[in-house]
Amino acid sequence: MKTFALQRASGVDQAIALAARSPTAQQGATVRFLAGGTTLLDLMKLNVEQPDEVVQLRPLGLDRIETMPDGGMRIGALVTNSALAHDPVIVARYPVLSEALLSGASVQLRNMATTAGNLLQRTRCVYFRDTAMACNKREPGSGCSALGGYHRNLAVLGTSEHCIASNPSDMTR
């Protein structure tokens, strides 16, 4: 993982100002926000994301779930998936949302992952996460390894004589 500077924003305005120093918010951004970190840190470990600065958002107080006067809900960007799934109003009025959150990840991930992080999550495609493979989402114009039928990370889509999936009864290879 590339070395980066960790910034702790004291307020929303400061977080925005720190992020505005990056020439882009897309792939290759030099500043990234960190809340739960369940995707960003993985992508940084894989060298898919290599920001110079990471701005910690947890202390900003954007972790409230509020019922609005018109009956709608205001869900803060930093509300964890666990908090949202177990909120009594969400459970009562939006049970499908609660169930989806509870079935979408492990307890450990739900306790860290945030609502905004879910909305901003980068693709889960194995080619996006593998910097040795072409990926238009990671590097526009580079191509897409999945389109050509090359599925090296998806054993169920192809076999070889050296792959256990080709002969499940032969576990010695």
Side-chain angles (χ1 to χ4, degrees):
M1 182 185 304
K2 177 184 161 190
T3 302
F4 61 92
L6 179 64
Q7 307 286 346
R8 287 181 173 84
S10 59
V12 173
D13 290 341
Q14 184 188 24
I16 292 168
L18 288 166
R21 296 191 307 207
S22 181
T24 180
Q26 301 302 316
Q27 188 64 31
T30 58
V31 180
R32 287 286 188 208
F33 290 134
L34 175 69
T38 57
T39 297
L40 178 63
L41 294 178
D42 286 341
L43 293 176
M44 289 172 67
K45 289 176 189 175
L46 295 169
N47 291 317
V48 173
E49 291 282 355
Q50 298 180 347
D52 297 326
E53 294 179 80
V54 174
V55 180
Q56 174 58 271
L57 299 177
R58 279 280 187 201
L60 297 183
L62 302 172
D63 57 354
R64 291 187 300 277
I65 303 168
E66 303 171 80
T67 302
M68 304 306 293
D70 66 359
M73 300 295 296
R74 176 180 291 154
I75 301 167
L78 301 180
V79 170
T80 65
N81 289 355
S82 286
L84 187 58
H86 294 294
D87 182 83
V89 176
I90 298 296
V91 171
R93 291 176 40 196
Y94 306 99
V96 173
L97 174 59
S98 176
E99 291 172 27
L101 288 165
L102 292 171
S103 65
S106 69
V107 172
Q108 294 88 346
L109 285 175
R110 288 194 309 264
N111 286 339
M112 292 299 296
T114 62
T115 302
N118 273 7
L119 295 174
L120 296 174
Q121 187 176 67
R122 303 301 303 267
T123 180
R124 291 179 184 249
C125 177
V126 294
Y127 300 104
F128 175 79
R129 294 169 179 262
D130 184 349
T131 58
M133 305 304 295
C135 174
N136 284 320
K137 287 187 176 186
R138 192 181 59 249
E139 188 177 331
S142 66
C144 174
S145 294
L147 287 177
Y150 181 64
H151 303 290
R152 98 181 154 105
N153 292 323
L154 306 171
V156 297
L157 299 179
T159 63
S160 80
E161 62 184 22
H162 304 291
C163 176
I164 199 169
S166 66
N167 188 359
S169 64
D170 182 6
M171 302 288 230
T172 60
R173 293 185 211 187

